[in-house]
Amino acid sequence: MRGFLASSVGVTCAAALALPLALPTPAQAGPSAGTSEAAVPGSTRSLPLVPLTGTRSAAHAQGLTRRDVRPFSLVGVIWDDPSSELHGRVQVRTRATGTGRWSGWQDVETHNTHGPDPDTAEGESARMHGSTAPLWVGDSDGVEVRVEAQSDDRTTVPGESPLPRGLHLELVDPGADPVGRVQDGLRAGARALGEPAPDAPEDDSIARTGLQSGESFATSVANADVAPLGATEIPALSKSRTELEYGAAHPEEQRAKPYVGARPHIVTRRGWGADESLRESGFVYTKKVKAAFVHHTASGNNYSCSQAPSVIRSIYRYHVKSSGWRDIGYNFLVDKCGNIYEGRAGGVTKAVMGAHTLGFNSNSMGIAVIGSFDSSKPPAAAVTGIAKLTAWKLGLFGANPRGKTYLKSGGGNLYRKGKNVRLNVISGHRDGFATDCPGKKLYGKLGSARKAAARYQGR
């Protein structure tokens, strides 16, 4: 595996050196390894699909008829073999909780081209499944689904079903929002993009942070260089303060003016309500961040910014519990109001290996805009959020947002394994993998994002 796996204990001990002196050390007050944290509300229900009657061929169509189910807000379809593709169409319709009104048929994006690199521990995990993109449908308590194979598919072996084996419908309930954790910050972000959010309280004990589990503690400590232990938000900094922070962290560099954009306001994993018991323990890092790949979640645009934490919790559950990844695939997410969220755990300033651009997860970061932008124009606030985030994070690693860089392919459908590929420092997912992601409309805005990010860096 490129990169290395750090245990939660190791990361906790190392990062604790950066904590304010007023805070107790992990050895004094840290949770024991066996301590469990009360589960964040939420669930995943997996229902096996069955052949549909009344179709041209039961082998070519599977699904579920209308039925009552426990409340959920996000759906997707998974199958046994992650190397198999679903050539066909997936459609769902759902019943809104409270109104009893059924939606029309909605298409689910069948080609989920995000994922861990081949030949890594995550990519070879026995828990991995093939999966569609997830679709956000809002609070629902009824569902119907149909999966139909392509009628002109000639790749099927005679006698075998043209659909992947083990099709299941995944119904994800994100649970309730963390009370009082993030809503004030989101409202402030929507009102005045780029304005600093109130600082998180500087707790003087581990008990006050609410970090009862080892994984929650380690996740928070990984951000100790930018936020107090237990913080739900990382406050924005001015460019001058960001440069001072950068200089303190890089005393070996003597350049007078680093090209680092102002640190944006970021909602932490604790802020959006991540259940740290879901993900695998420890963090995986690579050497640096040379490029940023921009994605869309393909989960639809029918959400409000106040619902974004619920959408992220749902995607997190879908990536881990349904797709079988070690954590959410993206390093950061941006909602339609431009709010920025910490994605995969390991520290927002660090080179955390994600599972966003299959073949190019090493020495890169993945930024996903929540929504679908094949035909819908991305909000200007979201594009601004990409620019501010990349100006800061790429600047920490000396990367020019308007420049080019080389990444070595880990293997994919566009570049063979081992090939050095010249890419834009800010690229779209489709630049590293044959996919429509991040959608035609968002991809067309990347030039503007590059120019703005360079300007924010002072170039």
Side-chain angles (χ1 to χ4, degrees):
M1 174 194 296
R2 291 180 304 278
F4 60 92
L5 177 64
S7 70
S8 297
V9 175
V11 170
T12 299
C13 293
L17 297 175
L19 288 171
L21 295 179
L23 290 174
T25 65
Q28 293 171 320
S32 65
T35 302
S36 62
E37 185 175 23
V40 174
S43 64
T44 302
R45 189 179 184 193
S46 187
L47 304 175
L49 302 190
V50 299
L52 293 178
T53 59
T55 60
R56 62 185 180 87
S57 168
H60 284 74
Q62 296 183 28
L64 295 172
T65 56
R66 284 192 183 190
R67 61 190 60 205
D68 299 335
V69 291
R70 293 194 298 269
F72 68 97
S73 295
L74 180 139
V75 302
V77 171
I78 65 170
W79 53 92
D80 293 342
D81 185 356
S83 65
S84 296
E85 294 186 20
L86 198 165
H87 297 286
R89 189 177 192 184
V90 177
Q91 292 184 302
V92 299
R93 52 184 173 187
T94 56
R95 184 180 63 202
T97 302
T99 68
R101 184 176 298 113
W102 283 86
S103 71
W105 286 106
Q106 300 182 75
D107 287 310
V108 178
E109 174 56 58
T110 58
H111 299 297
N112 186 10
T113 55
H114 310 95
D117 285 353
D119 301 325
T120 62
E122 183 175 7
E124 295 179 344
S125 170
R127 300 190 305 113
M128 284 270 293
H129 289 97
S131 58
T132 67
L135 177 67
W136 175 261
V137 294
D139 293 338
S140 304
D141 58 11
V143 68
E144 182 176 8
V145 61
R146 60 190 184 196
V147 179
E148 297 179 294
Q150 272 183 210
S151 59
D152 61 347
D153 187 8
R154 299 184 179 89
T155 64
T156 305
V157 176
E160 290 190 6
S161 171
L163 293 173
R165 296 177 182 272
L167 290 171
H168 281 69
L169 175 67
E170 302 289 287
L171 303 175
V172 180
D173 170 22
D177 280 315
V179 178
R181 285 186 181 178
V182 73
Q183 296 305 314
D184 289 343
L186 294 183
R187 283 193 289 269
R191 286 197 304 269
L193 293 171
E195 290 295 317
D199 288 344
E202 294 194 13
D203 298 330
D204 59 3
S205 72
I206 300 298
R208 291 184 185 178
T209 66
L211 304 176
Q212 286 83 21
S213 80
E215 294 309 323
S216 295
F217 185 77
T219 298
S220 188
V221 171
N223 284 322
D225 55 340
V226 290
L229 190 64
T232 59
E233 299 171 356
I234 297 169
L237 292 181
S238 67
K239 192 174 190 306
S240 60
R241 287 188 63 190
T242 302
E243 290 171 350
L244 287 173
E245 182 181 76
Y246 176 88
H250 300 79
E252 72 286 356
E253 297 189 18
Q254 300 300 315
R255 57 185 176 181
K257 183 181 180 182
Y259 291 109
V260 182
R263 188 179 77 197
H265 169 253
I266 302 171
V267 178
T268 67
R269 288 171 64 90
R270 187 165 185 245
W272 54 259
D275 179 353
E276 300 297 346
S277 69
L278 293 180
R279 66 173 177 83
E280 289 187 18
S281 61
F283 313 123
V284 179
Y285 298 105
T286 57
K287 294 180 179 179
K288 59 181 68 176
V289 177
K290 298 171 64 177
F293 286 98
V294 177
H295 307 256
H296 66 170
T297 60
S299 53
N301 303 316
N302 190 26
Y303 73 95
S304 64
C305 291
S306 63
Q307 291 177 311
S310 294
V311 179
I312 297 171
R313 290 198 304 278
S314 298
I315 294 173
Y316 172 44
R317 271 191 167 273
Y318 187 71
H319 283 181
V320 176
K321 302 294 288 184
S322 302
S323 299
W325 304 349
R326 63 175 290 112
D327 194 351
I328 192 170
Y330 312 113
N331 297 104
F332 295 92
L333 298 97
V334 179
D335 69 21
K336 63 175 66 175
C337 289
N339 298 302
I340 299 168
Y341 304 82
E342 177 185 14
R344 181 162 289 208
V348 297
T349 63
K350 300 174 178 64
V352 179
M353 178 181 269
H356 48 83
T357 307
L358 194 152
F360 290 100
N361 289 308
S362 187
N363 295 331
S364 71
M365 68 173 181
I367 304 168
V369 180
I370 303 172
S372 301
F373 303 105
D374 290 315
S375 56
S376 296
K377 182 179 178 181
V383 178
T384 298
I386 293 170
K388 289 184 174 181
L389 175 58
T390 52
W392 170 69
K393 183 64 182 278
L394 291 172
L396 297 181
F397 292 87
N400 182 349
R402 298 188 71 176
K404 303 277 188 179
T405 191
Y406 282 92
L407 292 178
K408 182 177 291 187
S409 172
N413 66 359
L414 199 56
Y415 299 103
R416 60 174 174 78
K417 182 177 179 179
K419 181 177 177 61
N420 282 317
V421 182
R422 190 167 186 257
L423 295 160
N424 287 310
V425 167
I426 297 179
S427 286
H429 185 183
R430 63 175 63 182
D431 295 322
F433 196 90
T435 174
D436 290 335
C437 183
K440 179 180 179 181
K441 297 293 186 179
L442 179 54
Y443 189 77
K445 292 294 183 180
L446 295 189
S448 297
R450 294 183 192 109
K451 292 178 183 177
R455 185 172 69 252
Y456 294 143
Q457 284 189 347
R459 294 183 186 270

